Amino acid sequence: MRTLAHSLKAWLAFTLIAGLAFPLAVWLFGALFYPQKANGSLVLRDGQAVGSRLLAQKTTGDRYVHPRPSAGDYATTPSAASNAGWTDKALRQRLASLPHTPEDASQSASGLDPDITPESAAWQLQKVAKARGWSETSRKKAEEWIASNTQGGIISPPYVNVLQLNLAIDLIPDGK
Amino acid sequence: MNSYDITLLILLPTLLIACTPFAGSWLVRVLEGEIPSGLRWLGKIERSLYRLIGVAPEAEMTWKEYAVALLCFNAVGCGLLAVMLMCQSVLPLNPQGLAGLTPALAINTAVSFTTNTNWQAYSGENTLSYFSQMLGLGVQNFLSAATGIAVLAALARGLRNAGAEALGNFWADLTQATLYVLIPLSFVLALVLVSQGVVMSFDGYAHVRTLEGAPQVIPLGPAASQVAIKQIGTNGGGFFGVNSAHPFENPTPLSHFLQLFAILLLPAACVDAFGRMTKAHKHAWALLLVMGCLLATAVGLSLYAETHPPAAMGEIARALPMEGKETRHGVVASVVWAQATTAASSGSTNAAHGSLSPLSGGLATLNMLLGEIVFGGVGSGLYGMVMMVVLTVFLAGLMVGRTPEYLGKKIESREVCLAAVAVLLPCGLVLAGCVASFCTAAGGAAIGSHGPHAVTEVLYAWASLVNNNGSAIGSLDAGAPFYLWAGSFAMIAGRFLVIVPVLMFAGGMAGKRHAAASSGTFPTDGALFSALLAGMILIIAALTYFPALTIGPVLEHLLAAAGRTF
């Protein structure tokens, strides 16, 4: 019985320390120094949130660069992966029917991969340029944006953020 | 292999080897009751904690007292967590208005987090309130890791002390490990994670309109604090369903690298600490060498398998390795993580393990089947490994016909029996779980893939549950009642039916006197010992699991090479 009382009191004490004080201290740090990141890295345009920099969003038309395919169709609560193994018939058919770069055909682990490779971005730009009636100069401008905004490459593969790329694309006028 | 892949492959082990002695000596000083400089102010909290709990930290416990306190404390934590999860709808910090969990899911989750397994039959973002995550699961993340460290400390004292059957004080070990090791490390990691974009918010989910005007829900929550301890404490339970693949848990290459490092840091430090506490530092580094070699082999083979798909696959072989992986992590870092997380009993995943190549998935399964002793969980990896060492010195003793000794104490039949139980019981449980899964309708209904991949899926699940890893091949229906109940049993048995024999062993060893080493003593720090130990580990796993691995991952690899699909 004494051990039971010790256990109950210890559980309560550790719940307050590790379950309340510790997260609150981390939260306070985030709220003070990284409020935007701590709250989901929301991206604003004209004062309106158009998504999170870190979460892929479903994209249908040719006017935007698409994120990687999502097993959960870009659902966020929850998101999903295909979990298909290498001998899975459906997976093999899906990959065979999409002759893009490897990242364009395969579904990501999170179902919300916010990034694509620079190769995929450049490849997709052709279709975007056509849909928007861009001149060669405008397409070059978008390509330059990709080149100067590619992240990673030191301990990870290089990657480009899709939402930021699409916002940059929107800044280039149609038909020019 | 690209330059960034090579950088990662060199940087990770280098940093780990460099930091292990520091973390190890930190751990030892804490467990010997010293407060590290810089954390002296926490000493007041420590003393008031003992007063509040009502225990004397210097009161030595026998193995029985130690085991009773440990089991009682874990049972209380588990029970209260289950109740909390069932009642979350009436508790605060639930902005999404999520309902309470069903008893089966609540008990499974409570057991899972108490046993340091963190098997998840749910996705946090549509199931758990912030209160449940933070004051429920987050707390058990700390306490289960601290429990592992406590057992390690008791075992080390049992081997070091002579004549007195004292193993230290459970409450003191638990408190010191939490206050001076787990919380400070997690705090530092959590701050870096926040700076990288891991969410830490108490707001309700955000609703936005995408560039194309469609509605999108942005899930939030106090994730950074929990992600930090889930890696530091080798817990592995994700705040979000897809775990460390989720961009909100692991947004950048830096967050990825630090989490990967954190998975291996304390398990490696525990080995070093054990060596320091028992004054057998060379022996501890021989153990680390064996662990390092086994993990490096698994990583090497797995990288080859993942980047060399069978030629029969043709064009799609280019796309296949990226299925179930994230662009910002890439193939190599994901494979390294998959091997590290299964070796170190973390179970946090940054890729979909079901989509790993058959042999990579098989190696990940094998890591767990070895008994989670190749680094293993915080504390638990080392004490599991010591049981294997006992069997090894016993074997060596048989060969030369002498009573075996370990760290200067005689190993007799009681010790060998306890080690055999701790090593073989999990093996039996894994196989029994697989049989039950295939032979019952309830077990079969939960299987989500076809062909030999289904065997891998089930073998992976039981390897993970029994050895307290917690990761899974996601096609399995972990929420099926069969897995909820049988899984809970397997997690408890796999955890505490190893801890109790280890404490019994420690208690028995504490009562023995040190014997002077003689010419017949088998040295436990040389190349011969390391090779024998590695052989012992592999032979036990091979004898137990060779048939299962053959009809699972190996067969799947051969059929994939032959172009078969299911």
Side-chain angles (χ1 to χ4, degrees):
Chain A
M1 274 329 274
R2 262 185 61 226
T3 310
L4 188 64
H6 293 162
S7 299
L8 281 166
K9 284 186 270 186
W11 177 84
L12 186 69
F14 283 117
T15 298
L16 293 178
I17 293 172
L20 199 62
F22 165 67
L24 279 179
V26 177
W27 171 81
L28 188 68
F29 172 84
L32 287 177
F33 299 105
Y34 296 97
Q36 193 257 353
K37 285 179 171 170
N39 288 291
S41 302
L42 295 185
V43 177
L44 300 181
R45 186 163 71 174
D46 308 327
Q48 289 287 315
V50 291
S52 164
R53 199 184 70 78
L54 292 176
L55 302 186
Q57 41 186 246
K58 188 173 180 170
T59 312
T60 49
D62 280 350
R63 289 180 52 80
Y64 289 111
V65 166
H66 291 207
R68 290 176 63 201
S70 161
D73 199 28
Y74 305 97
T76 54
T77 53
S79 63
S82 74
N83 291 303
W86 281 25
T87 50
D88 187 273
K89 194 174 275 171
L91 169 66
R92 300 278 279 267
Q93 281 163 354
R94 166 157 58 82
L95 295 185
S97 65
L98 288 165
H100 303 173
T101 66
E103 293 76 17
D104 290 321
S106 53
Q107 293 175 343
S108 62
S110 63
L112 295 170
D113 192 341
D115 309 306
I116 52 176
T117 57
E119 295 77 39
S120 167
W123 184 84
Q124 290 196 51
L125 262 191
Q126 300 170 7
K127 157 188 97 166
V128 172
K130 210 168 140 195
R132 290 176 177 250
W134 278 353
S135 64
E136 192 63 7
T137 332
S138 292
R139 196 172 64 87
K140 281 261 161 63
K141 217 166 138 187
E143 271 178 6
E144 276 162 24
W145 188 94
I146 293 172
S148 52
N149 287 277
T150 299
Q151 296 165 281
I154 302 166
I155 48 170
S156 77
Y159 59 93
V160 179
N161 185 275
V162 177
L163 182 56
Q164 286 182 324
L165 170 59
N166 282 332
L167 286 169
I169 284 173
D170 266 348
L171 292 178
I172 304 172
D174 284 5
K176 283 201 178 170
Chain B
M1 195 78 62
N2 299 291
S3 61
Y4 48 78
D5 295 327
I6 294 166
T7 312
L8 175 82
L9 290 174
I10 293 172
L11 201 59
L12 182 68
T14 311
L15 201 63
L16 206 59
I17 292 167
C19 292
T20 296
F22 289 105
S25 72
W26 179 286
L27 203 53
V28 172
R29 274 184 298 163
V30 165
L31 292 172
E32 304 284 18
E34 192 185 318
I35 305 175
S37 57
L39 295 176
R40 294 269 152 75
W41 56 279
L42 281 172
K44 264 190 195 141
I45 298 183
E46 188 195 346
R47 284 189 296 277
S48 34
L49 269 174
Y50 296 138
R51 265 201 307 279
L52 177 80
I53 303 171
V55 292
E58 63 286 335
E60 293 275 344
M61 291 176 163
T62 63
W63 79 261
K64 270 185 201 154
E65 291 165 330
Y66 205 98
V68 166
L70 183 149
L71 292 175
C72 183
F73 179 66
N74 277 275
V76 163
C78 182
L80 289 171
L81 177 55
V83 172
M84 185 193 286
L85 295 173
M86 285 189 270
C87 300
Q88 70 171 5
S89 59
V90 296
L91 292 168
L93 286 176
N94 186 5
Q96 300 315 116
L98 296 164
L101 274 58
T102 61
L105 181 58
I107 289 169
N108 181 276
T109 305
V111 166
S112 171
F113 278 73
T114 310
T115 55
N116 203 271
T117 311
N118 300 36
W119 172 269
Q120 294 175 290
Y122 62 89
S123 283
E125 58 267 49
N126 67 349
T127 312
L128 293 180
S129 72
Y130 299 166
F131 189 93
S132 298
Q133 296 262 29
M134 195 169 97
L135 285 108
L137 307 189
V139 174
Q140 286 306 322
N141 277 349
F142 280 101
L143 298 180
S144 62
T147 298
I149 294 176
V151 176
L152 151 78
L155 174 63
R157 292 186 197 113
L159 289 164
R160 184 189 60 190
N161 298 353
E165 293 191 6
L167 298 181
N169 185 289
F170 172 70
W171 304 109
D173 289 338
L174 183 81
T175 307
Q176 288 158 352
T178 308
L179 278 188
Y180 304 130
V181 181
L182 297 173
I183 287 183
L185 281 175
S186 306
F187 187 65
V188 173
L189 181 59
L191 297 191
V192 183
L193 292 180
V194 169
S195 79
Q196 296 299 297
V198 178
V199 293
M200 191 70 204
S201 168
F202 293 110
D203 294 346
Y205 296 177
H207 295 264
V208 303
R209 292 227 162 248
T210 66
L211 287 181
E212 290 187 340
Q216 188 188 27
V217 181
I218 311 287
L220 294 169
S225 53
Q226 198 148 324
V227 173
I229 178 58
K230 93 166 184 193
Q231 307 297 18
I232 293 288
T234 61
N235 302 278
F239 192 89
F240 298 103
V242 294
N243 214 301
S244 280
H246 201 291
F248 276 174
E249 283 204 24
N250 192 1
T252 65
L254 180 64
S255 72
H256 181 268
F257 181 82
L258 291 177
Q259 288 187 43
L260 183 54
F261 174 69
I263 287 175
L264 293 167
L265 177 65
L266 274 189
C270 281
V271 182
D272 181 84
F274 173 76
R276 287 170 197 269
M277 284 182 86
T278 54
K279 308 267 185 293
H281 208 220
K282 263 181 85 183
H283 166 62
W285 278 78
L287 298 183
L288 273 175
L289 179 76
V290 172
M291 293 177 174
C293 287
L294 288 172
L295 178 58
T297 309
V299 167
L301 293 175
S302 173
L303 278 175
Y304 184 83
E306 202 75 2
T307 51
H308 292 75
M313 295 193 164
E315 255 306 278
I316 67 159
R318 276 189 330 123
L320 213 41
M322 274 309 283
E323 176 74 15
K325 298 192 183 71
E326 296 282 290
T327 309
R328 65 191 178 284
H329 304 150
V331 174
V332 171
S334 298
V335 169
V336 174
W337 181 301
Q339 297 305 321
T341 195
T342 47
S345 185
S346 166
S348 76
T349 56
N350 77 336
H353 281 199
S355 300
L356 291 171
S357 64
L359 292 181
S360 285
L363 285 160
T365 315
L366 181 62
N367 283 336
M368 299 185 286
L369 292 174
L370 295 179
E372 289 298 12
I373 55 175
V374 178
F375 293 100
V378 171
S380 63
L382 185 274
Y383 63 67
M385 185 58 126
V386 168
M387 295 296 104
M388 195 64 92
V389 170
V390 168
L391 294 185
T392 306
V393 294
F394 170 64
L395 188 77
L398 285 183
M399 287 185 204
V400 294
R402 298 266 313 226
T403 307
E405 290 159 22
Y406 180 48
L407 302 183
K409 290 191 175 186
K410 289 215 176 333
I411 299 288
E412 288 160 302
S413 74
R414 179 177 183 267
E415 284 73 39
V416 177
C417 285
L418 289 170
V421 167
V423 169
L424 295 180
L425 198 99
C427 296
L429 284 170
V430 169
L431 293 179
C434 289
V435 169
S437 297
F438 284 119
C439 295
T440 61
I447 300 173
S449 50
H450 305 280
H453 194 62
V455 178
T456 310
E457 183 185 299
V458 169
L459 183 64
Y460 192 109
W462 289 101
S464 171
L465 285 162
V466 171
N467 293 298
N468 302 133
N469 179 280
S471 61
I473 288 184
S475 43
L476 184 84
D477 179 11
F482 171 79
Y483 274 94
L484 290 181
W485 291 113
S488 299
F489 170 77
M491 290 187 278
I492 294 176
R495 176 82 166 171
F496 297 108
L497 293 184
V498 176
I499 285 185
V500 172
V502 167
L503 288 176
M504 282 175 82
F505 172 89
M509 293 301 266
K512 295 187 185 199
R513 306 217 160 271
H514 284 282
S518 68
S519 59
T521 305
F522 180 58
T524 52
D525 48 17
L528 182 64
F529 165 76
S530 303
L532 203 59
L533 177 62
M536 190 77 181
I537 293 168
L538 292 174
I539 286 168
I540 287 180
L543 288 177
T544 316
Y545 300 114
F546 187 70
L549 288 166
T550 308
I551 56 168
V554 175
L555 183 61
E556 192 190 357
H557 170 74
L558 295 174
L559 290 177
R564 282 284 303 274
T565 56
F566 295 90

